């Protein structure tokens, strides 16, 4: 019987680590290959920065170096000098010499020091934002397509079922009378009007499924990060105007601000708030639910109504 996948993965990882520890060279070899950086420059490990610099300039020029393979040696010497002239990389190299058994740790420190200072953090941040924004957009588009088609199917099924009920026919009749001023006309010329009335009533029956809005580039992380200063400035300006208008001047709330306070007090999402009938919104706003006492009274009425229906 084959071992579980988890055991197989652990065994493979342990085998790989063992092979690396046995086969791989000393961790200090990643700096100057198999050579010693100090030996390449002809200095001891206790040499100071000035001595290392003098040794490099003495060996760096081919005309001062009698070695026939001076060009190849020059590359090694230059690499050794780059490692030893920097205090941080020299400290890492000395640590690798003293602790050759810590292969993974020394290797990670080397590549971090080698590539870290060569990579502009700004480009890394931009690249990361672009990648995240791409994944975010694809995820939103996939979700939108799934919900959009589901919404169409569910709406058609729901409207077809509702149209068969007596309540729908009564509502259609009332809407027709409302548009004709209470006069019923059975002439053929009114068939087009009846069809228009039925279409309008069908639109009222369409279901609004939360989250079925088309993705926008303004919702992506990258775009939001770019416009972040503008967003912060706009937010500060809005809060300042709000404080001056309603806290300092004690002005009455405008309709838009009263709607915002009502929505925030009820903690209703924006897309769900948009699906509420205007008459219901007007009733909620008139209750001044942003005041704590009115909100508590409203919730008490809802609980009482819920118990009554049970």
């Amino acid at each position: 019987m084959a071992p579980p996948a988890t055991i197989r993965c652990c065994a493979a990882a342990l085998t790989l680590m063992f092979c690396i520890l046995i086969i791989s060279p000393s961790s200090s070899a990643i700096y100057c290959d198999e050579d010693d950086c100090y030996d390449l420059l002809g200095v001891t490990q206790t040499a100071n920065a000035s001595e290392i610099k003098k040794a490099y300039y003495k060996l760096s020029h081919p005309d001062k170096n009698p070695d026939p393979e001076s060009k190849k040696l020059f590359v090694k010497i230059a690499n050794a000098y780059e490692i030893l002239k920097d205090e941080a990389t020299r400290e890492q190299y000395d640590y690798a010499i003293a602790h050759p058994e810590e292969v993974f740790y020394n290797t990670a420190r080397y590549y971090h020091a080698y590539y870290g200072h060569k990579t502009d953090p700004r480009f890394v941040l931009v690249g990361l934002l672009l990648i995240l924004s791409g994944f975010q957009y694809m995820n939103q588009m996939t979700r939108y397509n799934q919900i959009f088609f589901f919404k169409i199917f569910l709406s058609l099924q729901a409207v077809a079922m509702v149209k068969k009920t007596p309540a729908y026919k009564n509502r259609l009749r009332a809407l027709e009378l409302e548009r004709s001023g209470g006069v019923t006309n059975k002439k053929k010329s009114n068939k087009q009007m009846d069809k228009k009335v039925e279409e309008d009533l069908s639109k009222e029956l369409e279901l609004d499924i939360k989250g079925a809005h088309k993705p926008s580039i303004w919702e992506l992380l990258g775009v939001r990060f770019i416009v972040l200063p503008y967003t912060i400035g706009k937010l500060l300006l809005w809060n300042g105007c709000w404080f001056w208008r309603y806290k300092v001047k004690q002005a009455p709330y405008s309709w838009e601000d009263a709607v915002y306070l009502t929505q925030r007090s009820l903690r209703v999402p924006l897309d769900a708030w948009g699906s509420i009938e205007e008459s219901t919104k007007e009733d909620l706003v008139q209750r001044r639910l942003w005041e704590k006492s009115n909100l508590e009274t409203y919730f008490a009425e809802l609980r009482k109504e819920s118990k009554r229906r049970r």
Side-chain angles (χ1 to χ4, degrees):
M1 182 177 179
T6 305
I7 298 178
R8 292 199 300 268
C9 292
C10 293
L14 291 174
T15 303
L16 179 61
M17 292 174 62
F18 179 78
C19 292
I20 292 176
L21 290 173
I22 297 299
I23 300 175
S24 63
S26 174
S27 58
S28 61
I30 60 177
Y31 289 89
C32 294
D33 295 329
E34 296 298 332
D35 299 311
D36 185 283
C37 295
Y38 292 103
D39 290 343
L40 287 173
L41 294 177
V43 296
T44 62
Q45 192 171 352
T46 58
N48 56 36
S50 178
E51 293 173 345
I52 292 175
K53 187 176 182 180
K54 291 179 180 179
Y56 168 69
Y57 282 109
K58 180 180 179 181
L59 299 172
S60 59
H61 299 286
D63 57 342
K64 295 182 179 181
N65 194 336
D67 196 307
E69 297 186 354
S70 58
K71 292 184 178 181
K72 294 182 180 179
L73 186 60
F74 170 73
V75 176
K76 294 183 178 182
I77 292 174
N79 178 60
Y81 177 67
E82 290 294 326
I83 292 172
L84 298 181
K85 76 174 184 178
D86 184 82
E87 294 183 1
T89 54
R90 181 180 180 182
E91 180 183 355
Q92 294 177 7
Y93 177 65
D94 291 340
Y95 185 89
I97 294 175
H99 304 84
E101 72 282 356
E102 299 182 15
V103 179
F104 296 105
Y105 176 72
N106 293 324
T107 304
R109 294 184 69 190
Y110 168 76
Y111 284 110
H112 178 270
Y114 184 77
Y115 292 105
H117 70 279
K118 295 185 177 182
T119 305
D120 194 332
R122 293 173 295 182
F123 290 107
V124 176
L125 179 60
V126 171
L128 180 62
L129 287 175
L130 289 176
I131 294 174
L132 292 177
S133 298
F135 279 112
Q136 181 185 8
Y137 185 81
M138 289 188 295
N139 178 63
Q140 290 180 354
M141 183 59 72
T142 302
R143 184 170 177 266
Y144 166 76
N145 291 332
Q146 293 175 347
I147 297 180
F148 178 75
F149 290 113
F150 177 72
K151 175 183 177 181
I152 294 177
F153 172 77
L154 191 59
S155 298
L156 293 175
Q157 293 292 327
V159 172
M161 293 178 61
V162 173
K163 283 184 176 181
K164 298 178 181 180
T165 62
Y168 175 82
K169 296 179 180 180
N170 294 334
R171 180 72 180 90
L172 182 64
R173 178 67 174 170
L175 187 59
E176 181 182 2
L177 291 174
E178 179 182 346
R179 292 198 172 187
S180 61
V183 179
T184 305
N185 196 338
K186 297 298 184 180
K187 294 182 180 180
K188 294 182 179 180
S189 59
N190 287 333
K191 288 185 177 180
Q192 186 176 1
M193 178 180 177
D194 295 342
K195 185 178 181 181
K196 184 67 169 60
V197 171
E198 187 173 358
E199 289 178 356
D200 292 342
L201 186 58
S202 297
K203 291 179 181 180
E204 295 181 8
L205 299 175
E206 289 182 356
L207 302 180
D208 184 15
I209 301 178
K210 180 181 178 181
H213 64 282
K214 194 171 183 178
S216 172
I217 60 173
W218 297 104
E219 298 178 356
L220 300 180
L221 291 174
V223 178
R224 287 188 176 184
F225 180 79
I226 294 174
V227 301
L228 182 60
Y230 168 77
T231 304
I232 295 176
K234 186 178 180 181
L235 182 62
L236 293 175
L237 179 62
W238 183 86
N239 281 278
C241 293
W242 184 282
F243 180 81
W244 173 257
R245 184 182 304 168
Y246 300 124
K247 298 297 182 181
V248 178
K249 298 181 65 175
Q250 298 292 324
Y253 291 113
S254 64
W255 173 257
E256 292 78 9
D257 293 336
V259 170
Y260 164 73
L261 289 173
T262 304
Q263 176 196 346
R264 189 182 67 173
S265 301
L266 295 175
R267 297 180 180 179
V268 179
L270 185 60
D271 50 356
W273 179 262
S275 62
I276 299 177
E277 296 181 358
E278 293 299 325
S279 58
T280 304
K281 291 181 182 178
E282 185 176 355
D283 177 67
L284 293 173
V285 171
Q286 291 176 354
R287 287 174 172 265
R288 301 179 64 86
L289 298 179
W290 54 87
E291 297 179 3
K292 186 177 180 180
S293 57
N294 295 338
L295 185 63
E296 292 176 350
T297 302
Y298 175 72
F299 283 146
E301 292 177 0
L302 291 181
R303 289 192 293 267
K304 185 177 179 180
E305 181 67 18
S306 177
K307 291 180 180 179
R308 187 184 65 81
R309 290 181 179 180
R310 292 179 183 176

